[in-house]
PDB file of all heavy atoms in Angstrom:
ATOM      1  N   LEU B  65     104.390   4.146   5.888  1.00 96.00           N
ATOM      2  CA  LEU B  65     103.166   3.816   6.624  1.00 96.00           C
ATOM      3  C   LEU B  65     102.132   4.931   6.466  1.00 96.00           C
ATOM      4  O   LEU B  65     100.933   4.666   6.291  1.00 96.00           O
ATOM      5  CB  LEU B  65     103.479   3.581   8.099  1.00 96.00           C
ATOM      6  CG  LEU B  65     104.293   2.319   8.387  1.00 96.00           C
ATOM      7  CD1 LEU B  65     104.592   2.207   9.871  1.00 96.00           C
ATOM      8  CD2 LEU B  65     103.570   1.075   7.905  1.00 96.00           C
ATOM      9  N   ALA B  66     102.582   6.182   6.493  1.00 96.00           N
ATOM     10  CA  ALA B  66     101.647   7.303   6.385  1.00 96.00           C
ATOM     11  C   ALA B  66     100.971   7.319   5.011  1.00 96.00           C
ATOM     12  O   ALA B  66      99.796   7.660   4.893  1.00 96.00           O
ATOM     13  CB  ALA B  66     102.361   8.632   6.636  1.00 96.00           C
ATOM     14  N   ILE B  67     101.722   6.940   3.964  1.00 96.00           N
ATOM     15  CA  ILE B  67     101.129   6.866   2.625  1.00 96.00           C
ATOM     16  C   ILE B  67      99.985   5.836   2.634  1.00 96.00           C
ATOM     17  O   ILE B  67      98.892   6.084   2.130  1.00 96.00           O
ATOM     18  CB  ILE B  67     102.201   6.446   1.574  1.00 96.00           C
ATOM     19  CG1 ILE B  67     103.185   7.586   1.341  1.00 96.00           C
ATOM     20  CG2 ILE B  67     101.526   6.014   0.269  1.00 96.00           C
ATOM     21  CD1 ILE B  67     102.775   8.616   0.313  1.00 96.00           C
ATOM     22  N   PHE B  68     100.240   4.674   3.271  1.00 94.00           N
ATOM     23  CA  PHE B  68      99.194   3.653   3.339  1.00 94.00           C
ATOM     24  C   PHE B  68      97.980   4.169   4.112  1.00 94.00           C
ATOM     25  O   PHE B  68      96.845   3.975   3.692  1.00 94.00           O
ATOM     26  CB  PHE B  68      99.721   2.372   4.003  1.00 94.00           C
ATOM     27  CG  PHE B  68     100.536   1.537   3.062  1.00 94.00           C
ATOM     28  CD1 PHE B  68     101.873   1.292   3.298  1.00 94.00           C
ATOM     29  CD2 PHE B  68      99.944   0.993   1.933  1.00 94.00           C
ATOM     30  CE1 PHE B  68     102.624   0.532   2.424  1.00 94.00           C
ATOM     31  CE2 PHE B  68     100.690   0.233   1.044  1.00 94.00           C
ATOM     32  CZ  PHE B  68     102.036   0.001   1.292  1.00 94.00           C
ATOM     33  N   VAL B  69      98.226   4.832   5.223  1.00 94.00           N
ATOM     34  CA  VAL B  69      97.121   5.399   6.006  1.00 94.00           C
ATOM     35  C   VAL B  69      96.327   6.363   5.131  1.00 94.00           C
ATOM     36  O   VAL B  69      95.096   6.326   5.081  1.00 94.00           O
ATOM     37  CB  VAL B  69      97.643   6.121   7.266  1.00 94.00           C
ATOM     38  CG1 VAL B  69      96.509   6.862   7.969  1.00 94.00           C
ATOM     39  CG2 VAL B  69      98.287   5.133   8.224  1.00 94.00           C
ATOM     40  N   GLY B  70      97.040   7.222   4.395  1.00 93.00           N
ATOM     41  CA  GLY B  70      96.384   8.191   3.515  1.00 93.00           C
ATOM     42  C   GLY B  70      95.488   7.510   2.499  1.00 93.00           C
ATOM     43  O   GLY B  70      94.325   7.872   2.337  1.00 93.00           O
ATOM     44  N   PHE B  71      95.999   6.477   1.842  1.00 92.00           N
ATOM     45  CA  PHE B  71      95.193   5.756   0.853  1.00 92.00           C
ATOM     46  C   PHE B  71      93.953   5.152   1.507  1.00 92.00           C
ATOM     47  O   PHE B  71      92.850   5.231   0.978  1.00 92.00           O
ATOM     48  CB  PHE B  71      96.016   4.649   0.188  1.00 92.00           C
ATOM     49  CG  PHE B  71      96.896   5.156  -0.922  1.00 92.00           C
ATOM     50  CD1 PHE B  71      98.232   4.788  -1.006  1.00 92.00           C
ATOM     51  CD2 PHE B  71      96.383   6.006  -1.902  1.00 92.00           C
ATOM     52  CE1 PHE B  71      99.041   5.258  -2.029  1.00 92.00           C
ATOM     53  CE2 PHE B  71      97.187   6.484  -2.929  1.00 92.00           C
ATOM     54  CZ  PHE B  71      98.513   6.103  -2.987  1.00 92.00           C
ATOM     55  N   GLU B  72      94.131   4.542   2.676  1.00 90.00           N
ATOM     56  CA  GLU B  72      93.007   3.905   3.364  1.00 90.00           C
ATOM     57  C   GLU B  72      91.944   4.928   3.737  1.00 90.00           C
ATOM     58  O   GLU B  72      90.758   4.670   3.640  1.00 90.00           O
ATOM     59  CB  GLU B  72      93.501   3.183   4.632  1.00 90.00           C
ATOM     60  CG  GLU B  72      94.147   1.849   4.359  1.00 90.00           C
ATOM     61  CD  GLU B  72      93.215   0.904   3.614  1.00 90.00           C
ATOM     62  OE1 GLU B  72      92.050   0.762   4.037  1.00 90.00           O
ATOM     63  OE2 GLU B  72      93.640   0.333   2.599  1.00 90.00           O
ATOM     64  N   LEU B  73      92.392   6.105   4.213  1.00 89.00           N
ATOM     65  CA  LEU B  73      91.452   7.113   4.691  1.00 89.00           C
ATOM     66  C   LEU B  73      90.625   7.700   3.554  1.00 89.00           C
ATOM     67  O   LEU B  73      89.455   8.013   3.720  1.00 89.00           O
ATOM     68  CB  LEU B  73      92.200   8.267   5.360  1.00 89.00           C
ATOM     69  CG  LEU B  73      92.804   8.029   6.728  1.00 89.00           C
ATOM     70  CD1 LEU B  73      93.573   9.266   7.167  1.00 89.00           C
ATOM     71  CD2 LEU B  73      91.713   7.721   7.737  1.00 89.00           C
ATOM     72  N   ILE B  74      91.228   7.860   2.386  1.00 84.00           N
ATOM     73  CA  ILE B  74      90.620   8.710   1.385  1.00 84.00           C
ATOM     74  C   ILE B  74      89.811   7.978   0.325  1.00 84.00           C
ATOM     75  O   ILE B  74      88.923   8.557  -0.275  1.00 84.00           O
ATOM     76  CB  ILE B  74      91.693   9.619   0.766  1.00 84.00           C
ATOM     77  CG1 ILE B  74      92.042  10.633   1.842  1.00 84.00           C
ATOM     78  CG2 ILE B  74      91.191  10.390  -0.424  1.00 84.00           C
ATOM     79  CD1 ILE B  74      93.380  11.005   1.998  1.00 84.00           C
ATOM     80  N   THR B  75      90.018   6.674   0.158  1.00 80.00           N
ATOM     81  CA  THR B  75      89.311   5.988  -0.930  1.00 80.00           C
ATOM     82  C   THR B  75      87.795   6.103  -0.832  1.00 80.00           C
ATOM     83  O   THR B  75      87.112   6.037  -1.825  1.00 80.00           O
ATOM     84  CB  THR B  75      89.686   4.494  -0.969  1.00 80.00           C
ATOM     85  OG1 THR B  75      89.961   4.075   0.351  1.00 80.00           O
ATOM     86  CG2 THR B  75      90.881   4.269  -1.837  1.00 80.00           C
ATOM     87  N   LYS B  76      87.266   6.300   0.360  1.00 76.00           N
ATOM     88  CA  LYS B  76      85.803   6.245   0.475  1.00 76.00           C
ATOM     89  C   LYS B  76      85.120   7.604   0.473  1.00 76.00           C
ATOM     90  O   LYS B  76      83.942   7.701   0.801  1.00 76.00           O
ATOM     91  CB  LYS B  76      85.425   5.491   1.750  1.00 76.00           C
ATOM     92  CG  LYS B  76      85.840   4.033   1.730  1.00 76.00           C
ATOM     93  CD  LYS B  76      86.113   3.513   3.129  1.00 76.00           C
ATOM     94  CE  LYS B  76      87.195   2.459   3.108  1.00 76.00           C
ATOM     95  NZ  LYS B  76      88.176   2.643   4.181  1.00 76.00           N
ATOM     96  N   VAL B  77      85.814   8.667   0.116  1.00 84.00           N
ATOM     97  CA  VAL B  77      85.201   9.998   0.162  1.00 84.00           C
ATOM     98  C   VAL B  77      84.187  10.170  -0.969  1.00 84.00           C
ATOM     99  O   VAL B  77      84.498   9.925  -2.120  1.00 84.00           O
ATOM    100  CB  VAL B  77      86.280  11.090   0.067  1.00 84.00           C
ATOM    101  CG1 VAL B  77      85.641  12.466   0.011  1.00 84.00           C
ATOM    102  CG2 VAL B  77      87.227  10.977   1.231  1.00 84.00           C
TER     103      VAL B  77
END
Side-chain angles (χ1 to χ4, degrees):
Chain B
L65 292 178
I67 289 274
F68 281 117
V69 172
F71 279 133
E72 281 303 312
L73 287 176
I74 288 140
T75 31
K76 295 151 212 136
V77 176

